Amino acid sequence: MKKVIKIAALSLLGLTLSVAHADENAIRQALTKSMPSVKVGSVKPSEINGLYEVTVGGNIFYVSDDGKYLVQGHLVDVAARVDLTEEKLSGVRKQAIEKLGLDKMIVFKPKESKYTVSIFTDIDCGYCRKLHSEIDQYMAQGITIQYLFFPRAGKGSDSYHKAVSVWCADDRKAALTAAKKGDTPPAKTCVNPIDEHMQLAEDFEVKGTPMIVTEKGNIFPGYLPAKQLAEALADEKGQK
């Protein structure tokens, strides 16, 4: 009898997995058909029956099991008072930045690095300039800063061309520092990651600059003084 129950249980599990796989394929096909330009990442069941969690770039959406309906928003566990979507988004952001790679960022690193943040910056943004003017203070706190460009005026703007010129400079860090002080960098063009930075900013739904992304993928929108940022990063590091 126990053997029969075990076989039935295994059969049911196999059926469940087959249905889940079928739903995943249906969702992928439906999204590819309706939004061919969208590159779908992972597709897996969400905490709500019949609703699947779909990653697209640095974003998470929820889609019905037939791929017909898409829900944009955050899933919250009311009883636990936990934003489930935000918890997962931090992991998605972390992976996206790691995938981009250090060779596509301008990195300012102290002698002894305790923390690392990635910052979306705009050369012509006032608070971005303030933050960079205090770069030595961030270095003193042991904070490595990885810069990505997000010219808010858009592609083709003066800020965009400045970002390209800084990237193409012989000394990117020196060029960025000069540009942050108000100097116009000598116009240069080369193969650059600025468009990738901007796409990532769009995926992360960046609304303003600077936007700070921590090692765990959490976000601090806006300028934070070095000491305050170090304290926040220490708190994050201490969390399990």
Side-chain angles (χ1 to χ4, degrees):
M1 183 66 178
K2 288 183 178 179
K3 186 175 181 181
V4 172
I5 293 174
K6 185 175 181 181
I7 292 172
L10 289 173
S11 299
L12 181 60
L13 175 61
L15 178 61
T16 302
L17 291 174
S18 297
V19 171
H21 189 64
D23 289 340
E24 178 184 334
N25 288 335
I27 290 168
R28 286 186 181 278
Q29 290 173 10
L31 292 177
T32 300
K33 184 178 180 180
S34 59
M35 297 180 287
S37 63
V38 171
K39 187 176 180 181
V40 177
S42 65
V43 178
K44 55 187 178 183
S46 75
E47 288 78 1
I48 299 177
N49 290 334
L51 206 60
Y52 277 68
E53 177 187 296
V54 179
T55 60
V56 177
N59 251 317
I60 291 177
F61 301 100
Y62 298 95
V63 182
S64 59
D65 54 13
D66 59 1
K68 188 176 180 181
Y69 299 100
L70 183 148
V71 179
Q72 185 174 1
H74 283 221
L75 189 62
V76 177
D77 184 329
V78 178
R81 297 183 180 181
V82 174
D83 187 331
L84 301 176
T85 304
E86 183 57 36
E87 283 189 344
K88 294 178 182 180
L89 276 173
S90 61
V92 172
R93 295 186 198 107
K94 181 177 182 291
Q95 290 178 4
I97 287 174
E98 288 174 350
K99 185 178 179 181
L100 180 69
L102 288 176
D103 60 328
K104 291 184 178 179
M105 305 180 206
I106 297 179
V107 182
F108 288 78
K109 188 173 183 177
K111 290 181 180 179
E112 294 185 17
S113 181
K114 297 178 183 178
Y115 317 105
T116 299
V117 295
S118 301
I119 300 180
F120 286 91
T121 191
D122 181 338
I123 287 173
D124 294 319
C125 151
Y127 276 105
C128 296
R129 290 185 173 187
K130 177 174 175 58
L131 188 153
H132 192 72
S133 72
E134 299 167 0
I135 192 72
D136 289 344
Q137 296 177 35
Y138 293 92
M139 298 296 102
Q141 293 289 340
I143 303 173
T144 294
I145 292 179
Q146 303 173 168
Y147 275 124
L148 301 91
F149 288 106
F150 180 52
R152 296 170 300 170
K155 186 169 182 176
S157 64
D158 286 343
S159 296
Y160 177 88
H161 291 306
K162 287 178 184 177
V164 171
S165 296
V166 164
W167 183 265
C168 298
D170 294 334
D171 186 335
R172 291 170 185 160
K173 291 199 286 187
L176 179 60
T177 298
K180 292 281 191 180
K181 290 180 179 178
D183 296 342
T184 300
K188 287 189 176 182
T189 58
C190 65
V191 176
N192 65 80
I194 310 304
D195 287 355
E196 289 180 71
H197 292 178
M198 294 175 71
Q199 182 58 57
L200 202 57
E202 184 178 332
D203 291 341
F204 288 4
E205 296 186 339
V206 176
K207 304 300 183 185
T209 52
M211 190 182 90
I212 303 168
V213 185
T214 72
E215 288 180 271
K216 290 188 177 181
N218 296 317
I219 286 175
F220 297 128
Y223 161 81
L224 279 179
K227 186 177 180 181
Q228 188 177 338
L229 178 58
E231 290 171 353
L233 295 172
D235 287 343
E236 181 189 72
K237 206 167 189 177
Q239 294 172 1
K240 293 182 179 180

